[in-house]
Amino acid sequence: MKRFREFIHGLHPYALCGIWGPLLVSQIVLVFVLRQPGSAALRWVGWITWWTSAIFGWLPIFTLRRKGGVPKGKSYVHTTQLVETGIYAIVRHPQMGAAGLLMSLGLMLVTQHWISVVLGIPAMGLIYLDLLNADRRLVDKFGEAYRRYMARVPRVNFASGIIRLIVRRTRL
């Protein structure tokens, strides 16, 4: 297990994304190609899950631009300050983590096809491994402040993040 962790940590920062990204795109294409009979209720849950992923995908763009100390003319991903408010008070990785995982799950539920599951499960596993690497890189970038943030805010579990946020606010 230690060697596997070392291997994953040693990968180029975008290596895992280069694998899970096309898997996720393939799942999206399948939504428009496959017409599979299945549970209408599961399909609705899938659509709701997919649209929920859009919230986690778009909110970080606005939050990081506003609060991340992004240099003028740079993309929102070039933050210079640790952001712990807004969506980042609920989950540490809303865009790649929560959005990516929810999108993949939602797409599996919408299509209800084995091909989508075969693409989605590895995509979700690779996304999670990518999040572990992202945490490591962010500890390197922001140091002890990020470690404290990690202790307060879950990686992608937004239900736990909402509960923790409510508890923190009621203690104030």
Side-chain angles (χ1 to χ4, degrees):
M1 187 66 165
K2 183 179 178 184
R3 283 188 179 163
F4 179 73
R5 243 179 299 161
E6 289 171 356
F7 171 75
I8 294 299
H9 289 316
L11 289 174
H12 185 277
Y14 301 111
L16 292 173
C17 180
I19 301 168
W20 65 256
L23 292 173
L24 201 58
V25 169
S26 299
Q27 280 186 284
I28 294 168
V29 170
L30 289 177
V31 167
F32 300 103
V33 174
L34 295 176
R35 297 288 181 242
Q36 185 75 7
S39 166
L42 278 180
R43 192 165 284 111
W44 276 106
V45 170
W47 285 114
I48 292 166
T49 304
W50 193 10
W51 283 105
T52 301
S53 77
I55 294 167
F56 286 99
W58 285 97
L59 278 180
I61 295 170
F62 304 110
T63 304
L64 291 177
R65 279 188 182 148
R66 201 171 53 247
K67 304 212 176 190
V70 177
K72 190 168 178 76
K74 292 282 190 176
S75 167
Y76 72 96
V77 298
H78 296 285
T79 60
T80 59
Q81 298 172 13
L82 178 59
V83 177
E84 302 178 53
T85 59
I87 193 76
Y88 288 94
I90 297 170
V91 290
R92 294 194 310 264
H93 301 288
Q95 198 167 46
M96 178 175 62
L101 293 170
L102 286 172
M103 181 182 289
S104 188
L105 176 63
L107 292 167
M108 285 188 272
L109 294 171
V110 168
T111 61
Q112 297 176 39
H113 197 279
W114 67 269
I115 295 173
S116 186
V117 174
V118 166
L119 295 169
I121 290 175
M124 292 173 79
L126 292 168
I127 289 169
Y128 195 79
L129 290 174
D130 214 358
L131 298 177
L132 298 176
N133 276 346
D135 275 337
R136 187 181 52 80
R137 287 190 307 272
L138 290 165
V139 165
D140 290 345
K141 183 175 182 177
F142 294 113
E144 192 56 37
Y146 194 79
R147 286 187 198 282
R148 288 190 302 273
Y149 174 61
M150 287 173 60
R152 281 191 321 276
V153 178
R155 188 174 285 122
V156 292
N157 185 341
F158 60 90
S160 173
I162 291 168
I163 292 167
R164 288 184 190 187
L165 181 62
I166 291 168
V167 168
R168 280 194 308 269
R169 288 191 176 170
T170 57
R171 287 183 183 167
L172 296 178

